[in-house]
Amino acid sequence: MSIALDQVTKRYQDQPVVNDVSIEVGEGEFFVLLGPSGSGKSTLLRAIAGLTGIDHGRISLHGRDVTHVRARDRGVGLVFQNYALFRHMTVADNIEFALRVRRMKAAERRARRKELLQLVALEGMDERLPGQLSGGQQQRVAVARALAHKPQVLLLDEPFGALDAKIREELRRTIRAVQRELGITTVLVTHDQEEAFALADTIGVMNHGRLLEVGNPNDLYTQPATRFVATFLGAANLLLARQSVDGIRFGATPLSAEGAEPLQGGREHEVVAVLRPEEVEVGTAREDLSSDFIARGAVEEIVFTGALERLRVRLLDEPSAAQLLGAGSASGDPLIEITRTQPQRRELPLLAGAQVALGARRLHVLPTPISSFLACAPTEAEAAEIAREPLLESLSTRMKTRVSLRAIDGLAGTPAPFAGVAAITAGSQASETVEWLMRHGAGEVLVLPKNAPSPARVFIHWTDEAVRRATLAVSASLLRHVSAEAVYLGIVPEGDATGRGTPMRKLLDARSEAQQSHGLEMRTELAIGETVTEITRNLSTGSSQMLVLGITDITQAGTAYRTLLAAQPGWPVLIVYRSKDWGPGRQAARSAPEIAA
């Protein structure tokens, strides 16, 4: 591998801005780090270059550990957004600067400069000053200077950000051509999705300091594994659906499709489906659709953009309608985004206010175990208070999902099926509530102390290997949306006679499965003692801690873990329940299938 990062972490004021990032970039590969501002991508690039130190992890370039090697000895070239040219030096002097520092002979410097100027299409501009060049030309000089000393790795930190659209496109083509001709391993940092698609062999998407997904551009667009990647790589409509033994359905409408994962022991559950705007079919009536019907709607807005027409359609409230997540209008009505080509527009002209039938040509079901939240309390008013808890509000906003309300007064009767993660208040009655919810179908319960902050560290523990996979999947889904470090806590009872090797193998197996199956990087710690005591001790080491706990025995919530759920002020605890006869549990594989009509 040309570049290898292993659990690289960088903190500012004890907050991770780069959070356990592991990447492998192949020889000659063009790798793009994509993410919004503040996601940690530029900090990670500077760490690779050696311009900033790291607090944890290892950085290797071409098999050499350079974690503690100074920047000039790493063999990298770096191009910044603001060109960073010496204003008083000519183009020739700027390009030759790094060669002079390395004491290269004058004749060799001139030959290298001529070669580079030809490579970036700036022949004859040797004696111009940077102020006499356009922005695009200055950035070409910056690229030539970065390549002057023949680095093994080229790092580009949003080099097109200060340029207009036409120059940006021309410079993209130039850099891609140079990269291919030289075969140099290149890492580009950007927040521009179009830029990433145009240049990348491989894209890594970052958010909140964590690397969420890595893959080729086409796979990440058509088969994302996370809500964030689905909505960041182009527009996406997120829809809630149900998976049962009969397949996927929206409301009362079945789809001729399968879910992203096997059904767990016949247990129906909620899933999240991605519908790209270009995959929405529009017809005047349901019978006109050639694809699966999802809802009826009313056209709210029509925007002409040249090659495409963009529609925003309000879904009408009916039993068969799909439920839309993370979108809306000023009136609060759910709006679905649709794009149509000009031939499609001419075939069915529409005006604002028109009612239409909507179909899905292709859907992609996300392999995420957290679809939505359900605040549960004795009354709906108390449930509404839970829904306003800062941590739950933050999670639902970042996940672009909903929080519904459910009154469970008296924990009596047989309730309607539970959808999503049930959320309750911590306290003396929490363990009984958790047990009741799980006996009636809840697979995950979030126990919230009052005003719990967003966690800085999340501990992960399971009581039985049968629930390991499900616990890791839920943990990964949670940790994609919080700026927290993940720590798997393995606990061995004192005097355990199984030997020292078994617990360590379990730690390694857990980390390997978290990486490969769920895209989750986590630390591992081994404790010796009584389980609840050790969990409590670790949670008490900081003020913003959280626990994800996997169990296979419902009664454990009301017995072994009662004190954790009743502790004051306490910690947020997300309990994951999977009965041993549910099989392997939920899987978060990257290869979740598409649903095509």
Side-chain angles (χ1 to χ4, degrees), residues 311-339:
L311 305 177
R312 300 187 81 203
V313 175
R314 173 172 49 85
L315 299 185
L316 300 177
D317 187 17
E318 52 185 42
S320 61
Q323 297 181 60
L324 187 64
L325 296 175
S329 63
S331 63
D333 292 326
L335 297 175
I336 194 165
E337 303 281 345
I338 303 169
T339 57

Side-chain angles (χ1 to χ4, degrees), residues 35-103:
S37 298
S39 61
K41 55 190 187 298
S42 289
T43 302
L44 185 61
L45 194 80
R46 292 176 65 85
I48 297 171
L51 299 180
T52 186
I54 60 175
D55 298 306
H56 178 80
R58 187 176 64 156
I59 301 172
S60 299
L61 299 180
H62 296 280
R64 181 170 69 111
D65 188 339
V66 298
T67 309
H68 304 294
V69 174
R70 61 181 180 173
R72 64 170 293 179
D73 295 329
R74 293 196 180 192
V76 303
L78 183 59
V79 179
F80 298 97
Q81 179 177 341
N82 61 356
Y83 320 138
L85 298 177
F86 298 112
R87 312 303 295 179
H88 63 287
M89 290 186 184
T90 63
V91 167
D93 291 336
N94 267 284
I95 293 174
E96 291 184 25
F97 180 79
L99 305 180
R100 283 197 177 92
V101 170
R102 289 167 172 78
R103 301 183 182 280

Side-chain angles (χ1 to χ4, degrees), residues 304-367:
F304 174 74
T305 64
L308 298 174
E309 177 186 68
R310 301 190 186 278
L311 305 177
R312 300 187 81 203
V313 175
R314 173 172 49 85
L315 299 185
L316 300 177
D317 187 17
E318 52 185 42
S320 61
Q323 297 181 60
L324 187 64
L325 296 175
S329 63
S331 63
D333 292 326
L335 297 175
I336 194 165
E337 303 281 345
I338 303 169
T339 57
R340 300 198 301 169
T341 63
Q342 291 305 319
Q344 290 171 333
R345 182 189 67 82
R346 288 192 293 270
E347 187 177 335
L348 179 62
L350 293 172
L351 298 173
Q355 290 199 5
V356 292
L358 304 177
R361 297 187 184 94
R362 179 177 288 114
L363 286 161
H364 171 68
V365 177
L366 293 176

Side-chain angles (χ1 to χ4, degrees), residues 123-429:
E123 301 100 318
M125 297 191 180
D126 310 56
E127 300 307 316
R128 293 194 188 184
L129 292 170
Q132 297 173 310
L133 303 176
S134 68
Q137 289 171 330
Q138 290 184 59
Q139 198 60 289
R140 288 171 191 250
V141 174
V143 171
R145 184 179 63 180
L147 295 171
H149 61 288
K150 297 185 177 179
Q152 294 178 307
V153 172
L154 177 63
L155 306 177
L156 307 167
D157 191 2
E158 304 206 47
F160 314 116
L163 306 174
D164 64 45
K166 185 176 180 181
I167 294 175
R168 199 159 55 232
E169 186 175 346
E170 291 175 356
L171 190 56
R172 282 204 304 257
R173 284 199 295 268
T174 298
I175 287 180
R176 191 58 167 129
V178 168
Q179 188 268 340
R180 283 174 173 161
E181 182 173 336
L182 299 180
I184 186 171
T185 304
T186 302
V187 179
L188 166 72
V189 158
T190 184
H191 60 268
D192 188 314
Q193 298 93 326
E194 181 183 343
E195 202 167 276
F197 286 141
L199 291 168
D201 296 317
T202 305
I203 295 175
V205 184
M206 291 188 69
N207 194 34
H208 300 305
R210 192 178 296 281
L211 185 67
L212 300 185
E213 293 185 57
V214 177
N216 72 62
N218 182 68
D219 287 348
L220 289 182
Y221 184 79
T222 58
Q223 295 183 317
T226 65
R227 288 179 179 86
F228 180 81
V229 172
T231 54
F232 192 71
L233 291 179
N237 301 295
L238 299 181
L239 304 166
L240 278 181
R242 302 287 297 183
Q243 181 179 353
S244 67
V245 291
D246 300 319
I248 301 291
R249 72 173 190 273
F250 287 130
T253 304
L255 301 175
S256 54
E258 296 181 354
E261 54 196 61
L263 197 63
Q264 309 159 45
R267 174 177 174 262
E268 181 176 310
H269 63 274
E270 196 172 58
V271 295
V272 179
V274 178
L275 176 60
R276 294 289 184 190
E278 66 272 17
E279 300 293 357
V280 183
E281 183 183 7
V282 182
T284 53
R286 182 170 181 169
E287 295 73 23
D288 298 331
L289 300 175
S290 60
S291 57
D292 283 326
F293 172 78
I294 59 169
R296 286 197 59 78
V299 178
E300 290 270 313
E301 183 180 21
I302 301 175
V303 179
F304 174 74
T305 64
L308 298 174
E309 177 186 68
R310 301 190 186 278
L311 305 177
R312 300 187 81 203
V313 175
R314 173 172 49 85
L315 299 185
L316 300 177
D317 187 17
E318 52 185 42
S320 61
Q323 297 181 60
L324 187 64
L325 296 175
S329 63
S331 63
D333 292 326
L335 297 175
I336 194 165
E337 303 281 345
I338 303 169
T339 57
R340 300 198 301 169
T341 63
Q342 291 305 319
Q344 290 171 333
R345 182 189 67 82
R346 288 192 293 270
E347 187 177 335
L348 179 62
L350 293 172
L351 298 173
Q355 290 199 5
V356 292
L358 304 177
R361 297 187 184 94
R362 179 177 288 114
L363 286 161
H364 171 68
V365 177
L366 293 176
T368 173
I370 300 181
S371 54
S372 64
F373 294 94
L374 181 65
C376 299
T379 66
E380 280 208 7
E382 291 172 289
E385 287 185 25
I386 295 174
R388 290 191 292 270
E389 281 291 329
L391 178 56
L392 188 54
E393 279 194 330
S394 173
L395 287 173
S396 63
T397 299
R398 290 180 174 185
M399 290 182 176
K400 297 181 171 64
T401 193
R402 68 176 185 181
V403 181
S404 303
L405 309 179
R406 177 77 69 86
I408 52 171
D409 188 19
L411 304 182
T414 303
F418 289 98
V421 177
I424 66 170
T425 300
S428 59
Q429 301 301 311

Side-chain angles (χ1 to χ4, degrees), residues 319-543:
S320 61
Q323 297 181 60
L324 187 64
L325 296 175
S329 63
S331 63
D333 292 326
L335 297 175
I336 194 165
E337 303 281 345
I338 303 169
T339 57
R340 300 198 301 169
T341 63
Q342 291 305 319
Q344 290 171 333
R345 182 189 67 82
R346 288 192 293 270
E347 187 177 335
L348 179 62
L350 293 172
L351 298 173
Q355 290 199 5
V356 292
L358 304 177
R361 297 187 184 94
R362 179 177 288 114
L363 286 161
H364 171 68
V365 177
L366 293 176
T368 173
I370 300 181
S371 54
S372 64
F373 294 94
L374 181 65
C376 299
T379 66
E380 280 208 7
E382 291 172 289
E385 287 185 25
I386 295 174
R388 290 191 292 270
E389 281 291 329
L391 178 56
L392 188 54
E393 279 194 330
S394 173
L395 287 173
S396 63
T397 299
R398 290 180 174 185
M399 290 182 176
K400 297 181 171 64
T401 193
R402 68 176 185 181
V403 181
S404 303
L405 309 179
R406 177 77 69 86
I408 52 171
D409 188 19
L411 304 182
T414 303
F418 289 98
V421 177
I424 66 170
T425 300
S428 59
Q429 301 301 311
S431 58
E432 287 83 356
T433 306
V434 169
E435 187 172 336
W436 184 85
L437 288 167
M438 290 183 169
R439 288 193 185 281
H440 290 88
E444 300 88 22
V445 180
L446 176 61
V447 183
L448 286 168
K450 289 286 186 182
N451 298 312
S454 186
R457 179 176 293 180
V458 174
F459 288 97
I460 303 165
H461 179 76
W462 48 84
T463 61
D464 191 293
E465 289 299 299
V467 76
R468 178 176 75 180
R469 178 168 294 189
T471 307
L472 286 173
V474 172
S475 300
S477 188
L478 169 77
L479 284 157
R480 293 181 188 114
H481 302 94
V482 295
S483 301
E485 294 178 340
V487 181
Y488 166 59
L489 184 61
I491 302 175
V492 180
E494 284 192 70
D496 192 308
T498 57
R500 296 182 179 180
T502 301
M504 291 305 299
R505 282 196 298 272
K506 288 184 177 180
L507 288 179
L508 295 174
D509 288 347
R511 186 190 170 201
S512 177
E513 182 174 336
Q515 288 175 317
Q516 295 177 13
S517 297
H518 310 288
L520 172 64
E521 282 289 344
M522 64 181 188
R523 315 282 176 84
T524 55
E525 293 183 7
L526 186 62
I528 299 175
E530 194 274 325
T531 301
V532 175
T533 301
E534 289 304 314
I535 290 175
T536 304
R537 182 178 64 80
N538 279 275
L539 287 171
S540 301
T541 58
S543 58

